[in-house]
Amino acid sequence: MKKVVIVGGGAAGFFAAINAKEHNPNLDIIILEKSSQVLQKVKISGGGRCNVTHACFDPKELTQFYPRGAKELLGPFHQFMTGDTFEWFEKKGILLKIEEDNRVFPESNSSQTIIDCFLSAVDNLGITVLKNHGVTTIEKEENKWLITTKKETFIADKLIVASGSSKKGWELASKLGHTIIDPVPSLFTFNIKDTLITDLGGISVPNAEVTISDSSLHSSGPLLITHWGLSGPAILKLSAYGARTLANKNYQYEVSVNWLGKSLNEVTEIILNLKKEHPKKQVVLKSAFTAIPRRLWERFTQVAAIKKGQNWADLSNHQIQTLAQYLTKTQFKANGRTTFKEEFVTAGGIHLKEINFKRFESKLHKNLFFIGEVLNIDAITGGFNFQNAWTGAYLCAQAIASDS
């Protein structure tokens, strides 16, 4: 009986174990988890609801959500992707639902549903899960792998490293000769202190354009003002694609926000039309743009030196110009970052040129596999990082099952 050891008790590790055992019941599989709990990232994902995947069903389109790993994942996504994820969970009795923004969650709205599914599967399949078994060393001895924890040593025919964004996991891979791309945070919100957005936490706009000064980085989408600065899909996407650039700037940079996604001329024309159509309406009370919430609109009128009670007819050209300028190009200075909720994602990990993506196997060592965030693959928020985990784990499991 071939023995398979999986380092890491997270989503990718469990998914690989279950699929390998289902494809080949003769495998003896052990999952080693360093902490006293398993599947903790699953538990907190999506605010405790578990954002299982994203409702994008075209492999090429799906890769566009991965700042790192897009090219490498195209082939694997043709083998196992979102539709297969839906089918896999439904066969386990877990129904998934697509929300308006195309994020996918279990119908139960609880991550515990996914956790229970995995725990039940490993129990039924006879897969061993050992907690408090942090791996200290990995050695190759002829055609076997020696995996040592603080408690004991395991001998394996096949080794899967699914240690996530773990320094120890990368250290172990490095000692085996693999190149590690230094990790930096990927999904984070921008820390900004500015009087314009002070006390406006919780306010959002539906389609802003955000750019980083002195760079080619830009993004668009919903934007959220928080108590510490700016967040929302537009910011998180920018943080993912700009992970290394912003790290190199030590998270000190200028951010430009177009709150409406419209040109300066378009916005100016809308303001002038409103001035003609509603000359006796108060500017503060009659917004020209439904996309701008009332409190934010009031703040814009303040910075444009528009007095309370001032009517549209009384606006000067300078006030109109200032208002339009702020709406289309507000400059902020970012100073630092804040991890998005409790979901910590990194850009960095094992160099992708050293992996055979047909099997997610090391090109340096036969029977050594890497899956999930231990690789230099990451995505924007929305369920894409989990889909990478499912795809890699499934193909890896198939390879191991067919080999044995």
Side-chain angles (χ1 to χ4, degrees):
M1 181 178 281
K2 296 285 186 180
K3 178 165 283 188
V4 179
V5 170
I6 301 175
V7 178
F14 269 77
F15 204 74
I18 293 165
N19 282 286
K21 189 75 171 179
E22 287 182 340
H23 280 98
N24 187 344
N26 293 321
L27 292 173
D28 178 16
I29 302 178
I30 298 174
I31 297 174
L32 302 178
E33 166 56 40
K34 67 178 180 180
S35 71
S36 60
Q37 307 263 353
V38 295
L39 300 164
Q40 285 305 289
K41 197 159 188 178
V42 173
K43 187 171 186 176
I44 64 175
S45 161
R49 295 194 297 143
C50 190
N51 188 177
V52 177
T53 185
H54 196 90
C56 174
F57 299 96
D58 177 77
K60 190 171 184 180
E61 183 183 344
L62 185 60
T63 62
Q64 301 309 303
F65 296 97
Y66 294 82
R68 285 148 292 273
K71 181 178 71 173
E72 290 79 7
L73 287 175
L74 181 58
F77 282 158
H78 275 94
Q79 303 302 314
F80 189 95
M81 63 171 284
T82 48
D84 303 297
T85 300
F86 269 82
E87 185 179 357
W88 193 92
F89 281 103
E90 286 174 1
K91 283 182 177 178
K92 294 287 188 290
I94 309 299
L95 297 180
L96 305 179
K97 62 175 181 175
I98 302 172
E99 299 199 339
E100 283 186 16
D101 58 3
N102 284 331
R103 290 186 302 163
V104 177
F105 295 89
E107 284 195 349
S108 65
N109 275 328
S110 173
S111 58
Q112 194 61 44
T113 300
I114 305 300
I115 294 172
D116 290 344
C117 169
F118 286 165
L119 294 178
S120 175
V122 296
D123 188 49
N124 292 336
L125 292 166
I127 295 168
T128 303
V129 179
L130 299 178
K131 303 172 187 176
N132 298 310
H133 270 70
V135 174
T136 54
T137 60
I138 294 174
E139 297 175 300
K140 193 174 185 179
E141 192 171 283
E142 296 182 353
N143 294 324
K144 301 286 185 179
W145 291 101
L146 273 61
I147 304 99
T148 303
T149 71
K150 291 180 179 179
K151 295 186 176 183
E152 57 186 300
T153 297
F154 302 85
I155 301 174
D157 299 286
K158 311 275 186 180
L159 173 61
I160 302 173
V161 178
S163 51
S165 301
S166 160
K167 288 182 179 179
K168 185 61 179 179
W170 290 320
E171 179 188 312
L172 294 170
S174 178
K175 287 182 178 178
L176 293 171
H178 276 282
T179 305
I180 308 301
I181 306 299
D182 288 339
V184 296
S186 177
L187 289 181
F188 53 87
T189 60
F190 296 175
N191 288 5
I192 295 170
K193 290 184 179 180
D194 193 285
T195 54
L196 180 70
I197 57 175
T198 300
D199 302 326
L200 295 183
I203 285 179
S204 64
V205 296
N207 189 31
E209 291 180 355
V210 187
T211 59
I212 303 297
S213 300
D214 300 322
S215 81
S216 60
L217 294 170
H218 66 277
S219 176
S220 61
L223 177 70
L224 173 68
I225 299 172
T226 70
H227 295 297
W228 52 85
L230 297 176
S231 185
I235 296 295
L236 295 171
K237 182 179 179 181
L238 199 55
S239 75
Y241 279 92
R244 296 215 166 270
T245 299
L246 301 181
N248 289 338
K249 290 177 178 288
N250 198 29
Y251 306 104
Q252 313 278 325
Y253 48 90
E254 286 196 355
V255 186
S256 178
V257 177
N258 182 330
W259 300 88
L260 298 162
K262 298 179 184 293
S263 70
L264 177 62
N265 288 339
E266 284 181 285
V267 171
T268 302
E269 187 176 344
I270 292 171
I271 293 173
L272 289 172
N273 286 336
L274 197 64
K275 180 177 179 177
K276 291 177 183 177
E277 293 170 9
H278 302 282
K280 295 184 178 180
K281 294 282 187 180
Q282 291 185 33
V283 179
V284 174
L285 301 179
K286 180 63 178 177
S287 171
F289 308 95
T290 56
I292 303 294
R294 179 184 58 81
R295 288 170 59 211
L296 181 58
W297 174 253
E298 289 176 0
R299 194 63 55 85
F300 281 129
T301 62
Q302 290 172 16
V303 296
I306 298 170
K307 299 176 181 177
K308 284 187 177 181
Q310 187 172 352
N311 294 333
W312 278 100
D314 300 326
L315 280 190
S316 68
N317 288 336
H318 178 71
Q319 287 174 317
I320 292 172
Q321 187 179 28
T322 304
L323 183 59
Q325 187 72 37
Y326 266 101
L327 288 165
T328 57
K329 192 176 182 180
T330 303
Q331 296 285 122
F332 294 109
K333 286 188 177 180
N335 182 10
R337 58 176 178 80
T338 299
T339 302
F340 176 58
K341 295 183 178 177
E342 294 175 291
E343 301 177 43
F344 188 73
V345 176
T346 57
I350 295 169
H351 202 303
L352 304 185
K353 70 179 181 181
E354 299 171 354
I355 303 297
N356 171 5
F357 280 93
K358 291 182 179 179
R359 299 163 53 89
F360 282 75
E361 185 176 20
S362 166
K363 290 181 179 178
L364 309 185
H365 302 284
K366 188 173 175 57
N367 297 325
L368 172 62
F369 302 79
F370 295 100
I371 55 176
E373 290 180 24
V374 70
L375 296 168
N376 184 28
I377 296 176
D378 64 285
I380 66 173
T381 184
F384 303 103
N385 285 300
F386 269 137
Q387 186 56 53
N388 167 47
W390 311 142
T391 296
Y394 187 85
L395 295 187
C396 167
Q398 271 196 324
I400 285 174
S402 61
D403 286 348
S404 304

